[in-house]
């Protein structure tokens, strides 16, 4: 009895100290002793770690001069138009520059901070001509046929066939963008990869059916995508869906006067009878008739392009240019033609077809400094 009292007193003491709880009746030990249950310790709440302060971000330091490169798949140097008559030719010699002017100013955020230059020599592949830097005001690329170069377009059918119009395409151009210091202008220089480039002729017919392009030409055109062929075609608005449109005597509207200046009319005359001499008629085509005319044509085309590794121009270019897969050319002719800037070409209009007679208008293409032929508007060829 004394032991039980002692145990009870001990339990009460432990309970009071918070070291045990009173056991229920069924928790008695077999010997009648009171079992003591120790209290399970409670873990303290977790302590949140102190916040981590990120290291300060150091803005990148621009080291000048900076240079980046853009590699467009092509550059259209010029466009020459076929004449009517199955034996006709149009020849551009020393009195013709076949100059083209191309800008990319719309790609820059601040048009006052860039200038253009050209250091390009494109040698003709399969033709006796080359193209180099033309006169420029520093606001666009200017490319011209070099002195001593001769370009001839040969016609093979009587009707006006714009499928034989010929583009002169630089196949390995590169645009270098450089800046000497933070407030210096951006200099855009058009040149060719690894020295003299290549200029390949592509007719409208070839562009519409690339599989017809000769194998030796295709070697220079491996970078061109289908969209590039379509973009080049858009630069010749005289092309219609039907290359034989002139033979069916339909009426046509005049070409856009913002680009094409009317020069005059020429006739193609075949022999009157079989066995008659076929000499053809020679003409000197000149843009002097366009003196005083103002031209304001602009044709934008997108070309597939690649960019140099790490291409970056520190926010000076519009969003969408850096890292893009295209580059926009803006072909322009914003001038007033004056005397002293004469472009001339020699045309021989000739056909072997007996009794063939047709009249065509001649226009000066201010975009490429060449001469185009078109059916007289609202007049049947029959």
């Amino acid at each position: 009895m004394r032991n039980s009292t002692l145990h009870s007193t001990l339990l009460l003491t432990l309970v009071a100290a918070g070291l045990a709880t009173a056991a229920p009746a069924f928790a008695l030990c077999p010997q009648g002793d009171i079992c003591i249950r120790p209290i399970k310790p409670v873990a303290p709440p977790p302590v949140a770690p102190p916040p981590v302060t990120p290291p300060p971000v150091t803005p990148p330091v621009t080291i000048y001069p900076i240079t980046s490169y853009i590699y467009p798949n092509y550059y259209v140097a010029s466009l020459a138009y076929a004449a009517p008559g199955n034996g006709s030719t149009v020849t551009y010699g020393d009195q013709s520059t076949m100059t083209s002017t191309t800008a990319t100013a719309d790609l820059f955020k601040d048009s006052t901070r860039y200038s253009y230059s050209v250091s390009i020599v494109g040698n003709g592949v399969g033709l006796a001509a080359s193209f180099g830097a033309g006169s420029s005001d520093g606001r666009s690329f200017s490319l011209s046929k070099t002195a001593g170069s001769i370009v001839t377009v040969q016609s093979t059918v009587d009707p006006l066939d714009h499928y034989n119009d010929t583009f002169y395409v630089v196949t390995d151009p590169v645009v270098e963008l450089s800046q000497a210091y933070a407030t210096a202008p951006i200099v855009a220089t058009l040149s060719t990869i690894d020295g003299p480039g290549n200029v390949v002729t592509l007719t409208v017919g070839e562009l519409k059916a690339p599989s017809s392009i000769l194998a030796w030409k295709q070697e220079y055109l491996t970078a061109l995508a289908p969209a590039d062929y379509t973009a080049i075609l858009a630069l010749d608005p005289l092309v219609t869906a039907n290359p034989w449109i002139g033979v069916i005597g339909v009426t046509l509207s005049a070409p856009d006067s913002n680009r094409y200046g009317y020069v005059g009319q020429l006739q193609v005359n075949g022999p009157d009878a079989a066995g008659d001499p076929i000499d053809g008629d020679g003409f000197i085509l000149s843009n002097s008739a366009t003196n005083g005319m103002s031209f304001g044509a602009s044709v934008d085309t997108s070309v597939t392009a690649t960019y140099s590794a790490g291409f970056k121009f520190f926010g000076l270019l519009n969003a969408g240019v850096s890292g893009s897969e295209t580059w926009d050319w803006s072909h322009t002719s914003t001038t007033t033609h004056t005397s002293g800037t004469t472009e001339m070409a020699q045309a021989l209009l000739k056909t072997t077809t007996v009794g063939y007679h047709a009249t065509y208008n001649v226009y000066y293409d201010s975009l490429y400094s060449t001469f185009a032929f078109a059916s007289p508007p609202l007049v049947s060829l029959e």
Side-chain angles (χ1 to χ4, degrees):
M1 182 66 179
R2 195 164 61 90
N3 290 338
S4 296
T5 301
L6 180 60
H7 290 164
S8 299
T9 301
L10 178 60
L11 174 62
L12 292 174
T13 301
L14 294 173
V15 169
L19 300 176
T21 57
F26 59 81
L28 294 175
C29 295
Q31 294 84 4
D33 296 334
I34 296 176
C35 294
I36 299 174
R37 293 182 179 178
I39 295 177
K40 183 178 180 180
V42 179
V47 178
V52 178
T53 303
V57 177
T58 303
V61 177
T62 301
I63 300 175
Y64 289 93
I66 56 175
T67 303
S68 291
Y69 297 91
I70 302 171
Y71 301 93
N73 284 355
Y74 67 88
Y75 179 91
V76 175
S78 196
L79 166 63
Y81 299 86
N86 62 22
S88 297
T89 58
V90 180
T91 301
Y92 296 89
D94 284 339
Q95 293 178 301
S96 168
T97 64
M98 299 181 71
T99 298
S100 63
T101 301
T102 306
T104 55
D106 55 323
L107 297 181
F108 291 90
K109 289 179 178 178
D110 185 353
S111 60
T112 65
R113 297 192 61 189
Y114 67 89
S115 65
Y116 289 97
S117 66
V118 176
S119 61
I120 183 173
V121 177
N123 295 324
V125 178
L127 70 153
S130 60
F131 290 81
S135 60
S136 176
D137 56 6
R139 293 177 294 179
S140 58
F141 299 127
S142 179
L143 208 64
S144 298
K145 181 172 61 64
T146 57
S149 295
I150 298 176
V151 169
T152 299
V153 181
Q154 175 75 53
S155 299
T156 57
V157 295
D158 285 328
L160 189 62
D161 181 12
H162 285 295
Y163 272 43
N164 202 38
D165 293 351
T166 303
F167 288 95
Y168 299 84
V169 181
V170 181
T171 60
D172 46 3
V174 58
V175 177
E176 177 189 279
L177 300 176
S178 61
Q179 188 178 31
Y181 48 91
T183 58
I186 303 167
V187 178
T189 303
L190 175 65
S191 60
T192 48
I193 302 172
D194 297 331
N198 300 301
V199 180
V200 175
T201 60
L202 287 173
T203 66
V204 168
E206 290 174 321
L207 291 167
K208 282 185 168 289
S211 60
S212 67
I213 300 175
L214 298 176
W216 66 266
K217 286 187 183 182
Q218 291 181 353
E219 295 179 4
Y220 298 93
L221 305 173
T222 55
L224 268 68
D228 293 327
Y229 292 110
T230 302
I232 296 174
L233 280 169
L235 297 171
D236 187 350
L238 302 185
V239 177
T240 64
N242 183 357
W244 304 99
I245 193 169
V247 79
I248 60 177
V250 300
T251 57
L252 301 173
S253 60
D256 182 6
S257 59
N258 288 318
R259 174 173 172 179
Y260 295 93
Y262 177 74
V263 171
Q265 284 189 333
L266 296 178
Q267 285 190 330
V268 182
N269 298 306
D272 292 328
D276 284 353
I278 306 171
D279 298 325
D281 297 311
F283 303 91
I284 299 296
L285 305 180
S286 171
N287 66 344
S288 58
T290 65
N291 286 348
M293 290 186 183
S294 296
F295 300 104
S298 179
V299 182
D300 295 336
T301 58
S302 292
V303 54
T304 306
T306 57
Y307 293 76
S308 59
F311 177 85
K312 188 176 183 181
F313 228 71
F314 307 100
L316 295 173
L317 298 178
N318 281 341
V321 176
S322 179
S324 173
E325 294 182 355
T326 60
W327 174 259
D328 290 338
W329 293 125
S330 182
H331 309 264
T332 61
S333 62
T334 308
T335 59
T336 298
H337 180 239
T338 59
S339 58
T341 56
T342 302
E343 295 280 342
M344 301 177 69
Q346 294 179 326
L348 175 63
L349 302 186
K350 180 179 178 181
T351 177
T352 60
T353 304
V354 174
Y356 184 88
H357 302 281
T359 300
Y360 292 92
N361 284 359
V362 182
Y363 296 88
Y364 172 68
D365 182 0
S366 63
L367 212 61
Y368 292 108
S369 305
T370 54
F371 296 92
F373 300 84
S375 299
L378 305 179
V379 176
S380 171
L381 297 181
E382 297 178 341

